[in-house]
Amino acid sequence: LAKTTQPISMDSYEGQEVNITCSHNNIATNDYITWYQQFPSQGPRFIIQGYKTKVTNEVASLFIPADRKSSTLSLPRVSLSDTAVYYCLVGGGIMEYGNKLVFGAGTILRVKS
Amino acid sequence: NAGVTQTPKFRILKIGQSMTLQCAQDMNHNYMYWYRQDPGMGLKLIYYSVGAGITDKGEVPNGYNVSRSTTEDFPLRLELAAPSQTSVYFCASSYSGTGLKYFGPGTRLTVL
């Protein structure tokens, strides 16, 4: 299983862009990168998933360099409601992906007014 | 679509008691999972299932049992509750072959 390393916490202000970087040096060829968001007392919520280059959806963008040893979750113009824990997960193989994902400690993002 | 539902929301057990945490999903997902989350920590996988009748252990299976008789339901059984099992338990489901998981609201369990 690919181990991930994320900052423990980050602070930002409303309206700023926030970039959270995750290191996964031993990512395997068939691993995907997935980010989840978790609010207090709730289950994690899927944000975005990618394999290489850049993926964008209505919530965030995910940047993955060519060597895939890291990835960056970008949240544009954050608001107070984006205060949450963000998890970076790396999973093995399309067929095995669902059962191989491991959650680390995540990054606590605090957005201030 | 109710998504993933869990019952109960809260429960207090005495040491040695047993209980079953219920989980159901109405999205016809093949994969279902049970995680536990201790305060300030990430989620740890307890058990998972890739389809009805098929289950396997995750990272922390000791003290728990599961069964999967239908696609929709995936109950988690605690046989002899211990204080170390005090945690929040999340059930999740996903469509086969993708990493996108849908999580339930969680069950907060306290063992005294």
Side-chain angles (χ1 to χ4, degrees), chain B:
Chain B
N1 242 352
V4 179
T5 57
Q6 293 183 239
T7 55
K9 285 187 170 55
F10 304 93
R11 185 72 185 268
I12 298 175
L13 284 182
K14 294 182 180 178
I15 295 173
Q17 286 186 320
S18 62
M19 77 163 293
T20 299
L21 282 66
Q22 301 292 344
C23 174
Q25 53 93 8
D26 61 358
M27 296 172 282
N28 202 31
H29 286 166
N30 290 330
Y31 285 57
M32 294 188 75
Y33 318 80
W34 275 105
Y35 289 89
R36 60 175 287 173
Q37 185 173 36
D38 298 331
M41 307 293 287
L43 284 75
K44 292 188 184 300
L45 182 64
I46 305 172
Y47 270 96
Y48 66 94
S49 169
V50 300
I54 306 170
T55 63
D56 205 349
K57 298 177 181 178
E59 303 170 77
V60 290
N62 292 343
Y64 307 95
N65 278 301
V66 294
S67 59
R68 183 95 181 271
S69 57
T70 66
T71 299
E72 294 77 20
D73 301 297
F74 191 40
L76 177 71
R77 178 85 177 160
L78 282 72
E79 291 294 349
L80 291 169
S84 61
Q85 293 178 305
T86 293
S87 190
V88 180
Y89 291 83
F90 290 102
C91 178
S93 71
S94 68
Y95 185 69
S96 300
T98 73
L100 173 52
K101 294 183 183 177
Y102 295 85
F103 283 81
T107 293
R108 185 175 297 275
L109 175 67
T110 302
V111 182
L112 300 173

Side-chain angles (χ1 to χ4, degrees), chain A residues 89-112:
Chain A
L89 285 77
V90 175
I94 297 227
M95 294 306 293
E96 298 177 9
Y97 190 54
N99 58 28
K100 295 290 188 183
L101 292 180
V102 176
F103 283 80
T107 297
I108 301 171
L109 173 64
R110 301 185 195 91
V111 180
K112 305 173 184 177

